[in-house]
Amino acid sequence: MIASAPDHAIPAGVPHPAPAAGDPPGDVAPAAVPLIPSAGRPVAALLLMSLVLTLLVFAWAAWDHHRRVWDDARDQVVDVTHVLEEHAGKIFSIHAASLRYVERLVDDAGWKEIAGDSRFYDRLREIWQASPELEGVWVVDPTGIVRVNTMQWPTPALDVSDREYFRAQLKPGAGIYIGQQLRGRLSGQPFLPISQRMQTLDGRFNGVAQLSLRPDYFISFYRSLFAGEPKTMLLIREDGALLLREPAASDDSLQQGSYPGFIQAPADAAGTFILTSPIDGVQRLCARRKVPNLPLYVVYGITTDSIASEWEGRALIYAAVAVPASLALMLVAWIAMRRSRDLVRADRILRQANTVLEARVADRTRHLDKALAEREMLLRDTHHRVKNNLQVVSSLLQLQASMNPTLRPVLGDALRRIQAMGILHEQLHRASDVDVVPLDRVITALAREIDNIHQGEGTAADEPRRVTLALAVEPLATDLTASVPVTLVLNEVLSNAFKHAYPGGRGGALSITLRREGAEGVLTVTDDGVGMPDATARAGRKSLGLLLIDAFTRQLRGSFRYEDGAPGTRFTLRFPLA
């Protein structure tokens, strides 16, 4: 407060009266008034810290999503490649059996009877009609002359001794041969030849059985998987010869060429590799699988540009939140700094006015008292406004801090943790006293929910649960502060037991016990699964589940440990009840 002026000012020229007994000697100076400190620097520092925190959160979210997008892309190409390998293996295995069947028909009939026997032609037609992917079935004698085909009857004289699939079978032990695309001399359509050497009992060459596969059948199947998306599927021989590719050329030209890079490119631990395609020059994330028992690979790829575009789209969403939040912080800081400057300026003006009033105290006592009263009211109002403005800044910062976690994707294990919290609050709402949580009911409900999540309902007599769950929980009550960490620890431990203790669909038994020992609660989870290589070292691993268990246990001021159950694993959590 500014010092008050004396009640009666002495006019200029009038001598000062002598001080009364007990008064301090000399003139009494007015009390010093401290300057109102400027809030500019603290607000600027707070603004800088908030902006840095916002940028760090944005950078972490963008990096985490980038990692997730690439992991999902790797999983996708590996899974789709497996589907393509199974499809190709099924198709070519069936037709390898068909070729062996054709060879037996030739052995039974003999070359003299084949050309003029319509029954042999009818049997080949049965093979052709049962397989929509076949364009035709061909039987070629040792000289390279087609004796029978399913496209025309009687068969016209046609020499195919110059075809690659015929020359490849001249060598003993050639086995199944899959050739590059050719154009049919009768139909004019492209086809994939798959052939097998026929020979007599003494090992002499006895001609070739050949099936013509329709490339458009494979193309239609591939397009049905991912229509309109930037994906590439290939059938490629182990020597690098291209057999089939989607997307296919629109001019109905033959797909040929040799691209050994798809076979020789080293793959990472997930089975994927990044390769700039020698066909179209586009960089892709690819995976490959070999068709069992055949010299054939399937390759599936996604353009890296499409993966980057997916990540950039989500990063723009993060930026759309981070940028307005940063601008709002800057606006609030600017308002606070401007208000602080106004207060300092007002304080300076008041001090100047006070100096003038004190210089004219002799003739302005009444006006000075009024000015002092107004000044006091102004300062009170000013301090009140500053307090409100700081409260607004604090509320805005708290709101921003609570908004940032919702930007993260809630998937997988996070959903189960949220469900665990939901079960806890449901039991809390049911309780008559919201300050007391029936921990035994919460644990029972949570255990049954996790059991249902990992095993299904499984109530039918012919579909029993493979892992039985036994509960032995004593009535135990605690407050909300302790029940939340206990519930989340049980969620992590029980979920890990279901996921890792019983691999390969094996069965077993899980038991949960809750009891009181003195002033402590003891929670035990025991399984008879495969156990851990070193159960005591489990707490040192930096998995998210164990980090959460350790954090929640510290929050409880308790302790936990993993032990070898011989068989299985035993987890014990001790926590104070008070």
Side-chain angles (χ1 to χ4, degrees):
M1 293 295 294
I2 299 177
S4 299
D7 293 338
H8 302 284
I10 301 176
V14 178
H16 290 275
D23 289 345
D27 296 336
V28 179
V33 180
L35 288 172
I36 296 178
S38 173
R41 289 186 178 181
V43 172
L46 184 60
L47 172 63
L48 180 60
M49 293 174 58
S50 301
L51 291 176
V52 170
L53 179 60
T54 302
L55 292 176
L56 289 177
V57 172
F58 169 73
W60 182 88
W63 171 84
D64 182 67
H65 183 67
H66 183 273
R67 177 183 59 81
R68 290 176 181 272
V69 166
W70 275 93
D71 289 344
D72 292 344
R74 291 187 179 93
D75 292 341
Q76 179 185 352
V77 297
V78 170
D79 293 342
V80 174
T81 304
H82 182 70
V83 172
L84 297 178
E85 178 265 323
E86 288 184 346
H87 176 262
K90 178 180 178 182
I91 294 296
F92 285 96
S93 297
I94 290 174
H95 293 311
S98 299
L99 291 172
R100 291 190 293 270
Y101 175 71
V102 172
E103 182 180 13
R104 288 196 297 271
L105 292 179
V106 173
D107 291 340
D108 294 341
W111 288 115
K112 294 182 180 180
E113 304 295 335
I114 286 177
D117 189 353
S118 62
R119 293 176 299 176
F120 185 85
Y121 169 78
D122 292 337
R123 291 184 178 181
L124 296 185
R125 290 279 295 183
E126 292 175 358
I127 299 174
W128 172 74
Q129 291 173 349
S131 303
E133 66 274 10
L134 283 181
E135 182 186 61
V137 183
W138 304 71
V139 178
V140 184
D141 67 15
T143 65
I145 303 300
V146 177
R147 293 296 187 93
V148 181
N149 73 78
T150 56
M151 302 182 68
Q152 290 185 359
W153 177 261
T155 300
L158 188 63
D159 188 355
V160 296
S161 60
D162 60 330
R163 293 288 202 184
E164 181 185 14
Y165 66 81
F166 180 84
R167 296 197 306 269
Q169 298 296 351
L170 296 177
K171 300 178 182 179
I176 298 295
Y177 178 79
I178 304 173
Q180 290 184 287
Q181 290 188 24
L182 299 173
R183 194 171 297 278
R185 293 176 176 173
L186 294 181
S187 65
Q189 298 298 320
F191 68 91
L192 280 173
I194 173 173
S195 63
Q196 177 176 300
R197 171 190 175 95
M198 297 188 297
Q199 58 187 22
T200 60
L201 294 178
D202 57 359
R204 290 182 294 106
F205 180 60
N206 195 33
V208 173
Q210 184 258 325
L211 303 178
S212 300
L213 300 179
R214 294 168 47 202
D216 58 351
Y217 166 80
F218 291 90
I219 296 299
S220 298
F221 173 74
Y222 295 156
R223 288 177 178 174
S224 67
L225 294 179
F226 297 99
E229 296 189 20
K231 310 297 190 297
T232 295
M233 286 74 78
L234 297 94
L235 281 176
I236 193 166
R237 218 163 50 198
E238 64 181 1
D239 60 355
L242 176 65
L243 305 180
L244 194 65
R245 179 178 180 268
E246 165 59 24
S250 58
D251 57 358
D252 197 32
S253 59
L254 297 180
Q255 296 184 0
Q256 294 182 340
S258 180
Y259 306 100
F262 287 102
I263 307 300
Q264 299 170 359
D268 58 17
T272 62
F273 57 92
I274 296 178
L275 180 69
T276 299
S277 173
I279 302 175
D280 56 12
V282 177
Q283 188 182 70
R284 292 180 174 88
L285 174 68
C286 301
R288 61 172 175 263
R289 288 182 68 92
K290 187 179 184 301
V291 179
N293 303 321
L294 288 172
L296 185 64
Y297 282 85
V298 293
V299 180
Y300 174 77
I302 305 175
T303 61
T304 55
D305 288 342
S306 66
I307 302 174
S309 297
E310 180 179 355
W311 171 76
E312 290 172 357
R314 180 60 63 88
L316 288 176
I317 297 177
Y318 295 155
V321 175
V323 171
S326 299
L327 293 177
L329 288 173
M330 295 175 65
L331 176 61
V332 172
W334 177 79
I335 293 174
M337 293 173 66
R338 182 173 179 179
R339 181 61 59 86
S340 175
R341 288 195 299 269
D342 291 343
L343 291 175
V344 172
R345 186 180 302 111
D347 183 68
R348 186 180 300 110
I349 293 173
L350 289 175
R351 287 178 177 277
Q352 293 174 356
N354 187 54
T355 302
V356 173
L357 289 173
E358 287 180 350
R360 303 174 60 183
V361 65
D363 58 352
R364 299 291 302 271
T365 301
R366 182 176 58 86
H367 299 288
L368 179 59
D369 291 338
K370 181 179 179 181
L372 290 175
E374 292 176 352
R375 179 180 182 277
E376 182 178 356
M377 183 179 300
L378 178 60
L379 286 176
R380 289 181 183 276
D381 181 67
T382 300
H383 286 303
H384 179 69
R385 291 178 179 273
V386 170
K387 181 184 69 174
N388 288 344
N389 287 333
L390 292 178
Q391 183 63 38
V392 170
V393 173
S394 177
S395 299
L396 288 174
L397 293 177
Q398 291 175 0
L399 178 60
Q400 178 62 31
S402 64
M403 290 173 60
N404 283 336
T406 63
L407 302 177
R408 305 174 185 173
V410 183
L411 302 171
D413 292 337
L415 179 59
R416 287 190 287 275
R417 296 182 183 109
I418 293 173
Q419 290 173 339
M421 291 295 295
I423 292 173
L424 171 63
H425 284 282
E426 179 182 0
Q427 296 298 324
L428 179 62
H429 292 162
R430 292 181 178 179
S432 59
D433 187 354
V434 296
D435 293 329
V436 178
V437 180
L439 194 56
D440 52 319
R441 296 182 185 177
V442 175
I443 288 176
T444 300
L446 177 60
R448 290 173 179 170
E449 180 67 16
I450 296 176
D451 184 33
N452 287 334
I453 290 174
H454 287 278
Q455 301 195 98
E457 295 300 331
T459 57
D462 57 340
E463 294 180 0
R465 296 180 185 268
R466 61 182 180 84
V467 179
T468 60
L469 181 64
L471 294 172
V473 292
E474 299 178 0
L476 195 63
T478 184
D479 58 3
L480 184 61
T481 303
S483 61
V484 172
V486 172
T487 302
L488 295 178
V489 167
L490 177 61
N491 177 68
E492 298 295 331
V493 174
L494 196 54
S495 296
N496 286 340
F498 273 111
K499 289 191 294 184
H500 304 299
Y502 304 101
R506 63 181 293 175
L510 270 170
S511 65
I512 301 174
T513 62
L514 176 67
R515 65 185 185 276
R516 178 193 294 269
E517 290 187 1
E520 287 187 330
V522 181
L523 174 66
T524 305
V525 179
T526 306
D527 67 73
D528 59 353
V530 297
M532 296 185 298
D534 184 6
T536 59
R538 181 72 177 267
R541 295 174 54 189
K542 294 184 178 179
S543 66
L544 177 59
L546 286 175
L547 288 175
L548 290 175
I549 292 173
D550 182 68
F552 294 143
T553 304
R554 291 176 181 271
Q555 183 178 346
L556 285 168
R557 299 183 183 274
S559 63
F560 76 93
R561 63 177 178 176
Y562 276 95
E563 300 174 290
D564 187 3
T569 304
R570 179 185 299 106
F571 172 85
T572 303
L573 171 68
R574 293 180 176 271
F575 56 96
L577 294 175

